[in-house]
Every structure is written in structure tokens, then in C-alpha cells.
Amino acid sequence: MKILKMLACAAVAAVALSGCGPKDNSLKMITEATFPPYEFLRGQEVVGIDVEICRAVARKLNRPFKAETVDFDSVIPAVISGKADLAAAGITVTEDRKKNVDFSIPYVKTGIVVIFKKASPFTDAAQLKGKKIGVQSGTTSETYVLEQLKQEPERCKSPAEAVAALKAGRVDFVISDIDPAKNCVKGEADLALSDFITSEEYAVAIRKGQPELLKAIDETIAELKKSGQLAKWIRQFTEESDKLKDK
Ligand code: GLN
């Protein structure tokens, strides 16, 4: 009997130590770390505005916090399947996505822009028709090319990869969210950005049917906006990711 008890204790301890199973109470964030300043890699660590927002939610719920990075296409599926609790990756709220996940209140107003070579300036959306356009796969930039221009984009893994294709002449233009676009063109004297071609808002996405979690996220975002902390993180991580670009 005693031995059985000891074995049972050892098993419980093993589960607790391995950090999985019922003892792992972590709030898991899923993101895509090629999107500065919202998420990017500082060495091996995923950092950025979205990471801090999700960490603040975990703090509010008194739960440990973990962040993991995958390709952008896999971010929303990870919360639908329950692999992660929060998806935050500069995710634009769209009617289509609302069919599959619930969104928090938005935390940023933003949009997408065209990145072009100064040698062949972009002035008008009509110019994009029939051109090779690099986009990050699964994003609203991809949707723009498919739905507004009614053509196939050149799909890349990140805004930076799309910009590399532009510099190499493999695509004519790139479409991307403005903040990673700004980061990509920093220090690139030959490249420039257009004005917004859409108007979008970012929010945190979760699996449907979790009103308490949604409320905790909404309250956290409202507090971070009111206290000025969100604006501080935006400044801090923009500065840090710009510096990483300089290296
Ligand atoms: N905001 C864009 C979208 O939601 C891009 C996000 C991203 O690439 N991380 O589609």
C-alpha cells in the first residue's frame, strides 16, 4: 500500500515537473514572431506589444504565461483546436474570422500599405492590377490581392521575406501592415511606403464561447489603454525592433 502511494506521488510530481497535464495552468499565447513591433525575436525569446498584452491578461487571471510562435496561417487554428488560449499576432478583426473565433475589443487602429521601389513609384491602386505582389500568407494583404485585385499574390512567410523578393526583383510591389512595413524599409534608401489602402483594427482572438476569458482580456486592454501603458509599449518595442534592424 505504502509503495503504491509513493508511486502515485511520484507520478503526480512528474506531471507537475514536466509542465503538462492537469497541473499546467499556464495561459498560452500563440503568435507569429516576424511582425515587429507587435512580435519579434530577441535572441530566442518572443517579445513585443502583443506578448505584453497577453502577459497582462495572464497576470490578471493569476496564471503562469507562455508564448509560442508558428506561421501566421496556423495562429487562428491553434486557438480553435485548443492548443493555445490566446491568439495575438497583429490579427485584424474581419467578418470572416469572426465566424470562427471571438475577438476582444480592438487595441490598435491601423491598415495595410504598398511597399514600392522609388525607381517605380506607386501612386494609384490601379497600378497594382496584373502585377506580381508579395504578401505574407494568410493575411489581410493576401485577401486584398485576392478580393480587390482579383488575382493571385506571391505568398511569403513574412513581410521581410516579401520585401527581400521586391529587392531581388521577383515581385513588383509588396503589401503589408504598416508597422512591419516601416521596419522593413528602415535603412533601405531605394524603398518607400504608400498611404493606407485599408483601415483595420487589431484584437486578441480566442476560441468561441468563453465569455469570462473574453471579459478578462477586454478589461486588461481597457486598463492598458487608460493607463498609457499600451502607448509606452508601442514606443518601446518600435524603438527596440528598429534597433535590431540596424544591426
Ligand atoms: N493584420 C494582418 C492580418 O491579420 C497581418 C497580421 C500578421 O501578419 N501577423 O491578416
Side-chain angles (χ1 to χ4, degrees), residues 75-150:
V75 169
I76 287 184
V79 285
I80 295 173
S81 70
K83 262 193 224 145
D85 303 297
L86 312 177
I91 302 174
T92 300
V93 180
T94 68
E95 289 310 313
D96 239 22
R97 290 172 179 163
K98 274 193 203 164
K99 291 179 197 151
N100 299 315
V101 286
D102 283 339
F103 279 105
S104 68
I105 56 168
Y107 56 87
V108 171
K109 275 194 196 316
T110 182
I112 60 178
V113 296
V114 179
I115 308 176
F116 58 92
K117 284 188 172 155
K118 285 182 187 161
S120 31
F122 169 84
T123 47
D124 186 308
Q127 261 174 286
L128 300 172
K129 207 70 191 130
K131 294 285 172 14
K132 279 193 175 165
I133 301 174
V135 298
Q136 183 177 21
S137 203
T139 61
T140 45
S141 298
E142 176 182 293
T143 315
Y144 182 90
V145 178
L146 290 170
E147 291 180 2
Q148 305 296 318
L149 305 174
K150 309 222 179 312

Side-chain angles (χ1 to χ4, degrees), residues 37-52:
Y38 292 90
E39 37 272 325
F40 55 99
L41 291 176
R42 182 197 288 149
Q44 302 281 26
E45 195 190 353
V46 186
V47 297
I49 301 155
D50 289 341
V51 182
E52 293 311 319

